[in-house]
Amino acid sequence: MSKNYSILYAEDNKDVRENYVLYLENYFDYIYEANDGLEAFDIYRDKKPNVLLLDINMPNMNGLELAKKIRENDSNIPIVILSAHSDKEFLFEAIKLNLVEYLTKPVDRNKFKSVLENSIKKVKENSPNNQFIHFAKTTYWDCSKRLFFHKNKMIDLTRNERILFELLLNNKNEIINPNEISKYVWDNETEINDASIRNLVKRLRKKLPVDIIQSIYGSGYILSH
């Protein structure tokens, strides 16, 4: 199996995490590790991994809370939950999150292998063979590299500009309000005012060679093409 995929693994127990990482290396070229839910969410926004493997018991934000937060703006990314619980309350909550699997520890290795292969299959199904989203003949977004190109030249976007663009792209033709942008782009920071959001949108628009981000008065912003 090709390993050209990435996974974010969130687990607060270092020994457990290191043990799983050794096995994950058989399937993924890039493995991002997080100690808690907040760190995992920050890595998710910055790195955009292909698959999420989340332990349910973590400090700051547990695995289910993290999955819910991610599902607010990303309905496709494959998510696997690892849990020491088989309690129905957790299972019922997990069903709502469109998970690949809810695995109860200790996890059978054959079952885990099957779940990872199924996750990668879903990545392939969700991603078109052509990884480029074109906005004009010579202007496109490379989904794999997470870079914007115009006439074969990369457009230099800052981290927050890229995160904002991906938020709008993932919700194409839907209005994203300033509060949603604030929570998604800055997350842990507080009191992000409307002026900061407007400036970020303005900078992004200025860099893009196509006029695809529109302001909806009193509502927010929308990406359409």
Side-chain angles (χ1 to χ4, degrees), residues 44-94:
Y44 159 77
R45 290 181 307 148
D46 190 35
K47 301 298 183 182
K48 276 295 188 293
N50 299 118
V51 178
L52 301 179
L53 178 63
L54 311 176
D55 188 71
I56 203 168
N57 284 325
M58 294 185 292
N60 298 321
M61 185 190 302
N62 70 42
L64 283 180
E65 291 170 337
L66 175 58
K68 289 177 185 177
K69 190 174 181 66
I70 288 171
R71 280 289 182 248
E72 290 175 2
N73 294 292
D74 190 336
S75 60
N76 291 323
I77 187 169
I79 301 177
V80 178
I81 292 287
L82 294 173
S83 174
H85 299 280
S86 57
D87 191 284
K88 288 184 178 180
E89 179 184 349
F90 288 96
L91 291 172
F92 289 148
E93 285 297 308

Side-chain angles (χ1 to χ4, degrees), residues 27 69 135 159 175 219:
Y27 295 89
K69 190 174 181 66
F135 297 94
R159 176 180 181 272
I175 299 173
S219 298

Side-chain angles (χ1 to χ4, degrees), residues 54-145:
L54 311 176
D55 188 71
I56 203 168
N57 284 325
M58 294 185 292
N60 298 321
M61 185 190 302
N62 70 42
L64 283 180
E65 291 170 337
L66 175 58
K68 289 177 185 177
K69 190 174 181 66
I70 288 171
R71 280 289 182 248
E72 290 175 2
N73 294 292
D74 190 336
S75 60
N76 291 323
I77 187 169
I79 301 177
V80 178
I81 292 287
L82 294 173
S83 174
H85 299 280
S86 57
D87 191 284
K88 288 184 178 180
E89 179 184 349
F90 288 96
L91 291 172
F92 289 148
E93 285 297 308
I95 288 171
K96 305 172 187 176
L97 297 172
N98 186 29
L99 302 177
V100 176
E101 194 66 64
Y102 181 99
L103 295 173
T104 304
K105 299 176 182 177
V107 180
D108 177 79
R109 177 158 292 203
N110 289 329
K111 175 66 174 178
F112 193 45
K113 176 178 183 290
S114 176
V115 167
L116 293 178
E117 291 175 346
N118 191 26
S119 298
I120 292 173
K121 180 181 177 182
K122 288 183 178 294
V123 172
K124 292 178 179 178
E125 291 173 350
N126 292 335
S127 302
N129 292 330
N130 186 350
Q131 291 293 319
F132 308 119
I133 299 176
H134 285 265
F135 297 94
K137 188 174 181 180
T138 59
T139 305
Y140 61 90
W141 172 258
D142 187 322
C143 299
S144 178
K145 296 180 179 178

Side-chain angles (χ1 to χ4, degrees), residues 158-183:
T158 66
R159 176 180 181 272
N160 281 358
E161 289 165 354
R162 187 180 71 248
I163 291 173
L164 171 61
F165 179 78
E166 288 178 323
L167 172 63
L168 294 171
L169 183 63
N170 289 337
N171 297 275
K172 187 173 59 176
N173 298 320
E174 296 181 16
I175 299 173
I176 305 299
N177 65 49
N179 186 52
E180 291 173 308
I181 292 174
S182 175
K183 288 196 300 182

